[in-house]
Amino acid sequence: MNEQPRPTRRNEIRAQNETLILRAAEKVFAEAGFGGATMQLIADMAGLPKANLHYYFPTKESLYRRVVQDIFEIWLQAAAAMDDAPGPVEGIGAYIDAKMEISRRHPDGSKVWASEVMHGAPVIQDYLETTLRDWTRGRAALIQRWIDEGRMAPVDPNHLLYMLWATTQHYADFGHQIETLNGGRALSDRQWQAAKESVKQIILRGIGAL
Amino acid sequence: MNEQPRPTRRNEIRAQNETLILRAAEKVFAEAGFGGATMQLIADMAGLPKANLHYYFPTKESLYRRVVQDIFEIWLQAAAAMDDAPGPVEGIGAYIDAKMEISRRHPDGSKVWASEVMHGAPVIQDYLETTLRDWTRGRAALIQRWIDEGRMAPVDPNHLLYMLWATTQHYADFGHQIETLNGGRALSDRQWQAAKESVKQIILRGIGAL
DNA sequence: CTTCAACCTGACCATACGGTCAGGAAAAGA
DNA sequence: TCTTTTCCTGACCGTATGGTCAGGTTGAAG
């Protein structure tokens, strides 16, 4: 899957405009939610006429769906960090690092996902029931294996996973609140590093892996 | 403040209708977001004509603001659990218990708050900058005191607070996802208990308080 | 009973939204 | 060059939304 189309001028334009639209859409959906976002606003932000958006994405929902799928793909890739690790310290540590990095680089995507789930996942329910459920089962089993091997304390793997998602995504989804509490300034490099370390330290010690 | 008006028939009706509207509004705002919610839908859910809503709440935004304020009040009250505690185990443990209980009892309010913050807190920015900031400073100082007294490991108090918020509110905001991963069934009493215990155990051990 | 203020609501309005479409411009292929 | 396909867009449309208002009803006060 995902074979690249021949790089002709046509395909180049298409790819470029799709990217332009998706970037703008991610931002607008994140800032206003699905209901509050308007195609006109997305069009303006992308610098294209509204009718052109409907040429590439027939409906608002189809555009939205793509935005949600994209962030989900990014998260799935980050999960690989956990797989080929010798133990919980490396595996979960790397997973936290990866998810925190995503929260920093793709805060808008994270917010769109959060919004979607909060509203009952009307357009990606199938993902939750298939891909996400399978992924979760696999990692829960991996964690259970670590527990059985005595490499960490016996904690419920599912609740541990929820905690990992919650803490890391919080820095994206509630970034505005954190920024406000930080004196109105975005977290600096140093502060992001400290956040990562804090999260890793508390969780890894919390599961008895340190 | 907050003195009760004399309980005449008039005031009774007013109080009753306001509650009816606020309850419906909380649900609709949580399910559809501010932009997606419609006054008509809220009216239908409350069993009142739309024009009647505008009698009690002049604009959609004023109604929304009340909903957000209400959940914030509830959270502030829960925070008291942390104050008069001898140490981190009791204080933070009680705070987690209280916040988890709120996530269970008021999931819609939590979602509305999350939405509001995610979208840049357009209507409650002043709360973040005053009440929340003050509250946060106070608790961070309390945690720092516990650290200085050697009752817990030296962790950044702010990041610990973020983690507490993230993990507890996750069970409300991402309740739908958790439910889906739980086989489509809402968490049972037993499972909620297990969730509470898991969160408390990992965090309290994570901060070296156990 | 009378008066007055609070409460209620069907009908209405201006606006903004998602989406359509006809027709033109530009690139690709023959 | 000629033809075909893809790309582009201003103008338009039906609908739904937040909000208004005139006029009626109900409860309280004297």
Side-chain angles (χ1 to χ4, degrees):
Chain A
M1 59 162 69
N2 242 352
E3 73 275 6
Q4 299 289 353
R6 191 160 59 87
T8 139
R9 172 106 186 86
R10 271 271 156 77
N11 295 328
E12 189 182 305
I13 289 178
R14 172 167 278 270
Q16 188 176 333
N17 281 347
E18 273 194 4
T19 305
L20 223 51
I21 294 170
L22 285 170
R23 226 195 298 264
E26 186 180 75
K27 189 162 207 161
V28 173
F29 281 133
E31 282 174 0
F34 178 81
T38 72
M39 294 298 269
Q40 187 61 62
L41 199 62
I42 296 172
D44 291 349
M45 189 156 295
L48 295 172
K50 190 182 66 145
N52 207 354
L53 259 67
H54 281 100
Y55 174 73
Y56 285 103
F57 298 92
T59 65
K60 186 182 176 184
E61 187 177 315
S62 65
L63 172 55
Y64 174 74
R65 181 183 278 267
R66 257 294 286 283
V67 172
V68 176
Q69 283 174 347
D70 285 358
I71 184 69
F72 188 59
E73 288 297 325
I74 291 176
W75 276 341
L76 275 189
Q77 284 169 19
M82 204 165 156
D83 287 332
D84 30 44
V89 177
E90 301 84 356
I92 293 175
Y95 186 51
I96 291 173
D97 277 337
K99 293 259 1 248
M100 287 292 282
E101 207 53 40
I102 295 173
S103 281
R104 188 175 189 187
R105 303 297 170 197
H106 300 276
D108 288 333
S110 179
K111 286 176 192 169
V112 175
W113 174 270
S115 248
E116 165 69 8
V117 172
M118 280 200 324
H119 300 154
V123 322
I124 46 91
Q125 179 65 24
D126 51 332
Y127 271 75
L128 297 187
E129 290 175 359
T130 56
T131 319
L132 183 63
R133 187 179 290 183
D134 293 345
W135 185 90
T136 307
R137 284 217 181 102
R139 308 312 135 136
L142 173 60
I143 292 170
Q144 189 58 52
R145 211 173 309 134
W146 285 334
I147 293 173
D148 294 340
E149 292 169 2
R151 308 173 73 113
M152 54 179 280
V155 301
D156 184 313
N158 282 301
H159 291 302
L160 173 55
L161 285 172
Y162 300 158
M163 185 177 265
L164 292 171
W165 296 341
T167 47
T168 53
Q169 288 164 221
H170 184 82
Y171 284 89
D173 302 341
F174 288 76
H176 177 80
Q177 180 172 293
I178 290 174
E179 192 176 313
T180 298
L181 293 176
N182 190 42
R185 288 178 301 278
L187 295 190
S188 65
D189 285 3
R190 195 186 308 272
Q191 286 175 314
W192 269 100
Q193 194 58 36
K196 259 194 213 174
E197 292 307 324
S198 290
V199 171
K200 277 198 287 187
Q201 194 189 71
I202 295 177
I203 291 186
L204 290 178
R205 184 165 36 195
I207 61 174
L210 282 186
Chain B
M1 58 163 72
N2 242 353
E3 72 276 4
Q4 300 288 354
R6 191 160 58 89
T8 141
R9 172 107 186 87
R10 270 273 157 78
N11 295 330
E12 191 181 306
I13 289 179
R14 172 167 279 268
Q16 188 176 333
N17 281 346
E18 273 193 4
T19 305
L20 223 51
I21 294 170
L22 285 171
R23 228 196 297 265
E26 186 180 74
K27 188 162 208 164
V28 173
F29 282 133
E31 282 173 1
F34 179 81
T38 72
M39 294 298 270
Q40 186 62 62
L41 200 62
I42 296 172
D44 291 348
M45 188 155 295
L48 294 173
K50 189 181 67 141
N52 207 354
L53 259 67
H54 280 99
Y55 174 73
Y56 285 101
F57 298 92
T59 67
K60 186 183 176 184
E61 187 177 315
S62 65
L63 173 54
Y64 174 75
R65 180 184 280 266
R66 257 295 285 282
V67 173
V68 176
Q69 284 174 347
D70 284 358
I71 184 70
F72 188 59
E73 288 297 325
I74 292 176
W75 276 341
L76 276 188
Q77 284 168 20
M82 204 165 155
D83 287 331
D84 30 44
V89 178
E90 302 84 356
I92 293 175
Y95 186 50
I96 291 173
D97 277 337
K99 292 265 352 256
M100 287 292 281
E101 206 54 40
I102 295 173
S103 282
R104 188 175 189 187
R105 304 295 171 197
H106 300 276
D108 288 332
S110 180
K111 286 176 191 169
V112 175
W113 173 270
S115 248
E116 165 69 7
V117 172
M118 281 200 323
H119 300 155
V123 322
I124 46 91
Q125 179 65 23
D126 51 331
Y127 271 75
L128 297 188
E129 290 175 358
T130 55
T131 319
L132 184 63
R133 186 178 290 184
D134 293 345
W135 184 90
T136 306
R137 284 219 181 101
R139 309 311 134 135
L142 173 60
I143 292 170
Q144 189 58 53
R145 211 172 309 133
W146 285 335
I147 293 172
D148 294 341
E149 293 168 3
R151 308 173 74 114
M152 54 178 281
V155 300
D156 184 312
N158 282 301
H159 291 302
L160 172 56
L161 285 172
Y162 300 158
M163 184 177 266
L164 292 172
W165 296 341
T167 48
T168 54
Q169 288 164 221
H170 185 82
Y171 284 88
D173 301 343
F174 288 75
H176 177 80
Q177 180 172 294
I178 290 174
E179 193 175 312
T180 298
L181 294 176
N182 190 42
R185 288 179 301 278
L187 295 190
S188 65
D189 284 4
R190 196 185 308 272
Q191 287 175 314
W192 269 99
Q193 195 57 35
K196 260 194 214 175
E197 292 307 323
S198 290
V199 171
K200 276 196 289 187
Q201 194 189 73
I202 294 177
I203 291 186
L204 290 179
R205 183 163 39 195
I207 60 174
L210 282 186

